[in-house]
Amino acid sequence: MTGVAAIDCGTNSIRLLIADIVFLGDDEVQVVDADRRMEIVRLGQGVDETGAFAPEALERTFEALRGYAEAIEAHGIELGPDTVRMVATSATRDAGNRQEFVDGVREILGVEPEVVTGLDEAELSFVGATAELEAQAADGESNGDFTTPFLVVDIGGGSTEFVLGGVGEDEDEDLVRASLSVNIGCVRMTERHLRSDPPTEEQVEAATADIDAALDEVEKVVPLREAGSVVCVAGTATTVAGIALDLPEYDSERIHHSRVSGEDLERITGELLGSRHAERSEIGVMHPGRVDVIGAGALVLSRVLARTGADHFTASEHDILDGVAWSLIAPE
């Protein structure tokens, strides 16, 4: 048994997965969660407007990373490229002062953050979200609760990634068939459109038009309506799932692989967009750092599900972090 650490730094949050890798023989490997953590650092604060990281956003991120480095070493994992991988996404692709970010991460973790492309981000999310599900489905056939191909949707702070794939009839067929990243994340949509509390009808209409235009571009690359199962990862989807389950507090075990109907999603989206900050903050499953952006995230999610034609989505607690961990075990 050995350990690896995966870190995902997005526009809104920074997350850590410390995983124990158990080698069972005959090339069989089991990944066991040892520690999962999440901090809202809002690294992308103002990036859409200024094109650069704010100094206070960088310091929040570095402070979280210092805590993560301590946790990794406390688990007996030596900091270094063989055991630690950090990916940085949307805001980091956009920021003019990204070298300051890279230098700070290297000093703390001993590795540089990888500013992954939208394609890489989508593929990592896909592997993380579907590794458990592949055994439950066959291409084009219902098997258990899931049908392939899978559409994995990762709504982040700055961007949303779409990837369609699954096990094909030909074993040599690529796992990922099509993917695209577009700039319709929950922080970006909030800062760009939903500036009132609650947002006005005109603001919601403008955000909806922006999202729908982006989905038009997605459909040119990713055939959304071919999805057999829609699997949504990251904080927007899991928070909405927690609300749909009417949980008194966040419970990752109950949320993982729970289903949210299109009807419930539309209801929850309307309630979130129509409520004030103070009301949203009282929701039991709501992380304080998501209160001001969850309405935009839910709106993105609802427009995506409507575009696929599916009647529900499945929320997954396993996502890009798990894909990054797997990449350390079996690098290309």
Side-chain angles (χ1 to χ4, degrees):
M1 185 174 72
T2 187
V4 296
I7 298 172
D8 170 38
C9 184
T11 304
N12 194 43
S13 63
I14 186 166
R15 302 180 303 131
L16 168 70
L17 168 62
I18 299 175
D20 290 324
I21 311 305
V22 183
F23 297 94
L24 303 175
D26 296 326
D27 296 325
E28 186 177 356
V29 176
Q30 184 178 18
V31 179
V32 180
D33 285 14
D35 194 359
R36 282 185 189 259
R37 303 186 183 190
M38 187 271 286
E39 298 280 349
I40 300 289
V41 295
R42 198 62 58 82
L43 177 62
Q45 172 191 332
V47 167
D48 197 38
E49 182 177 353
T50 68
F53 293 127
E56 62 270 26
L58 284 172
E59 183 50 40
R60 289 194 299 267
T61 304
F62 294 155
E63 183 63 24
L65 283 175
R66 293 183 191 104
Y68 287 178
E70 291 178 2
I72 292 167
E73 291 184 310
H75 196 69
I77 300 173
E78 184 177 352
L79 298 176
D82 292 335
T83 54
V84 179
R85 185 181 182 191
M86 175 175 171
V87 296
T89 56
S90 179
T92 319
R93 292 196 291 267
D94 302 336
N97 60 341
R98 57 184 175 270
Q99 192 59 47
E100 186 177 351
F101 169 72
V102 170
D103 292 343
V105 172
R106 185 193 305 113
E107 180 179 351
I108 296 167
L109 293 178
V111 298
E112 290 194 5
E114 299 176 44
V115 184
V116 296
T117 66
L119 174 61
D120 290 337
E121 187 174 355
E123 290 179 342
L124 287 167
S125 292
F126 184 83
V127 170
T130 63
E132 298 171 288
L133 306 181
E134 288 290 0
Q136 301 180 40
D139 190 43
E141 299 177 354
S142 178
N143 189 349
D145 292 330
F146 299 95
T147 302
T148 58
F150 299 111
L151 174 67
V152 174
V153 182
D154 184 349
I155 300 174
S159 63
T160 294
E161 282 68 49
F162 300 82
V163 55
L164 186 76
V167 176
E169 295 178 2
D170 183 350
E171 292 184 358
D172 295 327
E173 183 178 336
D174 290 341
L175 182 68
V176 172
R177 301 181 189 177
S179 62
L180 191 67
S181 174
V182 289
N183 289 333
I184 52 171
C186 60
V187 174
R188 196 183 299 269
M189 290 296 97
T190 300
E191 292 185 350
R192 186 178 292 175
H193 299 293
L194 307 182
R195 298 179 178 178
S196 300
D197 182 35
T200 66
E201 183 177 342
E202 291 77 16
Q203 290 172 347
V204 173
E205 289 176 353
T208 301
D210 201 353
I211 295 165
D212 287 348
L215 292 177
D216 290 341
E217 295 304 310
V218 172
E219 285 200 292
K220 295 177 182 178
V221 178
V222 182
L224 300 178
R225 292 184 177 274
E226 292 184 13
S229 301
V230 179
V231 181
C232 298
V233 303
T236 288
T238 57
T239 299
V240 167
I243 295 171
L245 290 168
D246 198 25
L247 298 179
E249 60 185 13
Y250 198 92
D251 185 336
S252 60
E253 290 189 5
R254 290 192 62 187
I255 289 171
H256 187 48
H257 288 174
S258 64
R259 291 185 173 191
V260 179
S261 69
E263 182 178 349
D264 280 347
L265 175 57
E266 288 301 311
R267 173 182 56 81
I268 291 168
T269 300
E271 291 173 354
L272 292 171
L273 289 172
S275 61
R276 294 187 177 275
H277 186 281
E279 295 170 312
R280 297 191 300 275
S281 67
E282 294 297 319
I283 298 172
V285 298
M286 187 74 66
H287 188 286
R290 297 200 189 280
V291 175
D292 58 341
V293 298
I294 187 63
L299 182 60
V300 172
L301 183 54
S302 68
R303 301 308 296 172
V304 170
L305 189 65
R307 188 66 69 100
T308 67
D311 62 5
H312 73 277
F313 75 87
T314 299
S316 175
E317 289 279 355
H318 293 182
D319 52 26
I320 190 171
L321 277 177
D322 301 81
V324 172
W326 277 106
S327 75
L328 284 164
I329 303 164
E332 294 182 0

